[in-house]
Amino acid sequence: MTTQLPSRPFDIAIIGGGAGGVLTAIHALHLADAGIRIVLIEPTARLAQGVAYATTHAEHLLNVPARRMSAFDDKPDDFVDFLVAREGEHARDAIAVSYAQRRHYGDYLRDRLQRARETTSAHFEVLQDRVTGLDDADGVLRLELESGSAIRARGMVMAVGNNPKPLPARGASGLPRHSVLEAWDFDAIKQIPADAEICIAGSGLSMVDTVLSLVANGHRGRVHVLSRHALLPLAHTKHAVADFDAGALLAMPLRQRMHVLRKAASEADRQGLPWQAVMESARPLVQNLWRTLSHDDQRRFLRHAVRYWDVHRHRIAPQVHAQLEALQASGQLRLHRGRLQTVNREGERIRVTLMMRDRRTQELDVDRIVNATGVEMRAQLMRNPLLSDLLGKGNARPGPHGIGIDTASDGDVVNAEGEALPDVIVVGSLRIGRLWESIAVPELRGQAENAARRLLALPQVPVGATSPKGTSFWA
C-alpha cells in the first residue's frame, strides 16, 4: 500500500476497491500507455471484497453459471479459464455450467488485477484510505482523504458499492448488539448457536446467504423469514432462450408488458420450455426496458412490481433453491407475509411484531434477528462521506425516484444544475436510478471498460491550467 502521497496528479483515480473498482483498474491498466498514472483508493486492506464477494465460506455460490462471469467482453471464457487452471482441463465443460463458490470470484479479480499490474507500462498505486470530499482546482480534481491528505487527478471513477439498509423496526436501537446481526456479517452468522430461534428480516438474496450459512453450521433451530410479499428467489434451469420478441416490449406501457410476459411464459410452457427461457430472451434489454418506461410507470413498477421482477430476474442456483424448499417442507424454515413493526426485549429473548396484510398483528419470540433487507438505494442515506459532500455542494443530485445518483448516458455525474461532469464517471450500483440493471457482471465490466477508455482520452491538463473548454461545471 502507498504510504506517501505523490505531488504529481494522477490521470485516473478509482474510488472503491470492490468488483466495480477492480474491474475498472484492470481495464485501465490494459489500455494505458507508458507514463499514465492510476490510483485505486479503498479503505479496507483487501481488494475485490465488496458485499458480493467478501464471503470466505464455501456454501455461498454465484447466482449465475461461471461461463457468464468473465471480466472481459472479448474473452467470455476467462473466468472459466481461471477455474480450469485450478481444477484441470478435464473439468472444463462441467465448470462452465457450474455455480462456482463466490469467494473464487474475488480470487479471480485479484489475480487478473495482478496480471494487469505486471504487464502494464502505466504507473499504478493502491491507497488504503477513504475519499471524503471532491473539488475542482483549475481543471484538476482535488480529492480530500480521511487521513487528512489530498491527491489530484484528471478524472475519477466512482465505484463505491453498497451499504445495507438499517433494520426497519422501532426499538432496534435498544437491543443488545449481539442480538441483531447484518446478513453480510458472515462470520457473526456462523457464531449463532445451533439451537437458536432466528428471525430474518427480508426474503431476498441476503436471506439466502444467511440460511446457507446456518445450514452449513448444522443449525437446528427454527428460522422465520419475514417480508412484505414472502417471495423467495426462484431457481435457474438449464439455459434456454424462448422464441419471444422481447424488443416489442419496449413500445408498451408497464401493464401491457407484464401481460405479454405472462402470456409468453405460458406459451413457452406449452412448447416444453421453462418460463426462465422468456427471461433469458429479455435479459439483454433490461436497461432499455427500464429507460423506455414513462416516469409514472417506473414509479408503479417500484411500488407494485419490483419484488415480482426480482425473484424472476435474480435467480439462484438450482441446488440452493432445493435446499430452501427442503427446509420449508421440514417446517424449519417458515415464511411470514407482513411488515416488521417493532422489536423489543422480552427477558433473554426478542419479541418481534408484524403487521399482516389483513391489519392483524403477529408476534414471534426469537433469540436473534438478522437484517437481510438489502442495500440502501437512496444516496442521501448511504452514510458515504464523498456522496454527502457531492450532494451537499450541488456537484451531484439524486437519481430518478431518489435512488442512486443522477448520471448521463455514459455514466458522467450530473450536478444540481443538470450539467454532466465529464471527468467524474460512475460505475455500478449508483447508476440504478437511470439504468435499473447496473450491478451484474456483464453491466459492470462494460461500464468499467467504457469509463477507463473515456478518462484515458481526456486531454492532458497541466497543473494550474484552466479547463480545456475554458469552463467548469463545478459549483
Side-chain angles (χ1 to χ4, degrees):
M1 295 294 178
T2 302
T3 56
Q4 287 187 326
L5 294 176
S7 58
R8 286 180 55 197
F10 289 95
D11 294 281
I12 299 177
I14 301 168
I15 315 305
V22 171
L23 283 166
T24 304
I26 292 169
H27 284 284
L29 290 170
H30 282 305
L31 294 166
D33 295 327
I36 293 295
R37 292 166 54 78
I38 302 168
V39 62
L40 189 153
I41 307 170
E42 162 62 35
T44 61
R46 191 166 171 83
L47 299 180
Q49 285 211 310
V51 169
Y53 309 114
T55 178
T56 60
H57 302 296
E59 64 268 18
H60 297 142
L61 306 181
L62 294 173
N63 293 319
V64 296
R67 65 186 177 192
R68 302 190 197 179
M69 294 293 289
S70 172
F72 309 97
D73 282 330
D74 59 351
K75 293 190 288 185
D77 294 329
D78 194 61
F79 180 51
V80 173
D81 292 341
F82 171 80
L83 296 174
V84 166
R86 293 182 168 196
E87 302 294 330
E89 186 65 34
H90 67 281
R92 175 174 290 274
D93 290 345
I95 286 172
V97 297
S98 71
Y99 297 82
Q101 295 176 26
R102 282 217 308 270
R103 59 184 178 177
H104 293 337
Y105 196 72
D107 295 339
Y108 163 68
L109 291 179
R110 286 185 291 273
D111 177 85
R112 287 339 192 216
L113 178 61
Q114 182 59 33
R115 290 190 179 193
R117 296 180 74 165
E118 291 170 353
T119 57
T120 190
S121 57
H123 174 82
F124 180 68
E125 299 184 35
V126 177
L127 182 62
Q128 189 176 341
D129 211 327
R130 187 186 306 273
V131 179
T132 58
L134 181 67
D135 287 295
D136 180 35
D138 294 325
V140 178
L141 303 177
R142 177 182 170 86
L143 285 67
E144 300 289 340
L145 304 178
E146 190 173 59
S147 62
S149 303
I151 61 172
R152 293 167 295 161
R154 288 196 300 131
M156 186 181 91
V157 174
M158 286 206 304
V160 298
N162 302 298
N163 286 317
K165 293 179 182 177
L167 186 69
R170 298 190 302 274
S173 61
L175 296 178
R177 291 185 61 183
H178 75 276
S179 63
V180 181
L181 308 177
E182 296 295 334
W184 298 334
D185 192 348
F186 303 115
D187 293 335
I189 299 296
K190 288 283 192 179
Q191 299 303 313
I192 295 176
D195 291 323
E197 190 163 358
I198 299 169
C199 168
I200 304 177
S203 60
L205 299 178
S206 298
M207 176 278 298
V208 175
D209 281 348
T210 299
V211 172
L212 292 176
S213 289
L214 294 172
V215 169
N217 241 25
H219 195 80
R220 298 182 296 272
R222 187 173 295 161
V223 179
H224 301 275
V225 174
L226 320 178
S227 74
R228 288 177 55 199
H229 299 93
L231 294 173
L232 300 181
L234 298 172
H236 281 284
T237 57
K238 186 176 180 180
H239 182 69
V241 178
D243 183 15
F244 167 61
D245 181 14
L249 297 171
L250 298 174
M252 301 176 187
L254 177 63
R255 188 182 298 275
Q256 186 179 1
R257 291 182 186 188
M258 302 299 286
H259 172 75
V260 169
L261 281 170
R262 286 192 291 267
K263 185 177 179 180
S266 297
E267 179 60 29
D269 183 61
R270 284 192 290 272
Q271 297 174 10
L273 292 173
W275 60 261
Q276 288 90 335
V278 175
M279 295 300 291
E280 289 302 311
S281 299
R283 170 67 180 91
L285 297 176
V286 170
Q287 290 186 351
N288 281 336
L289 286 170
W290 175 255
R291 287 185 292 208
T292 53
L293 282 176
S294 69
H295 182 83
D296 287 345
D297 266 351
Q298 287 180 350
R299 288 180 62 84
R300 292 186 187 97
F301 174 85
L302 292 170
R303 283 200 308 268
H304 304 299
V306 62
R307 184 59 188 153
Y308 298 96
W309 173 265
D310 282 348
V311 299
H312 289 84
R313 163 68 188 93
H314 301 290
R315 303 187 294 276
I316 56 179
Q319 61 267 43
V320 170
H321 189 262
Q323 284 182 286
L324 296 178
E325 287 191 317
L327 289 168
Q328 284 185 272
S330 71
Q332 186 179 6
L333 180 66
R334 300 191 176 188
L335 284 172
H336 302 269
R337 187 178 186 180
R339 289 181 180 272
L340 185 59
Q341 297 282 44
T342 62
V343 290
N344 296 290
R345 292 184 67 171
E346 286 290 330
E348 295 300 315
R349 308 195 80 196
I350 305 164
R351 178 156 295 170
V352 179
T353 304
L354 284 177
M355 178 68 72
M356 312 306 286
R357 287 179 64 86
D358 60 4
R359 310 302 295 175
R360 292 183 300 109
T361 59
Q362 178 180 350
E363 292 183 343
L364 300 169
D365 287 341
V366 299
D367 301 299
R368 298 286 191 280
I369 298 177
V370 178
N371 179 17
T373 54
V375 299
E376 180 58 68
M377 295 194 296
R378 294 165 294 178
Q380 307 96 312
L381 302 180
M382 287 182 181
R383 305 183 301 281
N384 182 294
L386 174 58
L387 292 178
S388 297
D389 177 82
L390 289 170
L391 292 166
K393 292 175 179 174
N395 292 326
R397 66 184 184 184
H401 314 290
I403 56 179
I405 62 173
D406 202 6
T407 55
S409 58
D410 277 338
D412 301 342
V413 169
V414 172
N415 68 16
E417 303 301 319
E419 299 163 320
L421 309 180
D423 47 4
V424 182
I425 301 177
V426 177
V427 167
S429 60
L430 285 175
R431 295 181 68 178
I432 185 171
R434 283 292 174 194
L435 300 179
W436 187 249
E437 184 78 62
S438 192
I439 59 173
V441 166
E443 282 71 31
L444 277 181
R445 70 190 178 210
Q447 291 178 18
E449 181 176 359
N450 179 63
R453 288 186 183 279
R454 292 186 58 231
L455 291 183
L456 288 170
L458 284 177
Q460 296 283 343
V461 182
V463 178
T466 58
S467 167
K469 295 182 180 180
T471 60
S472 174
F473 292 120
W474 291 78

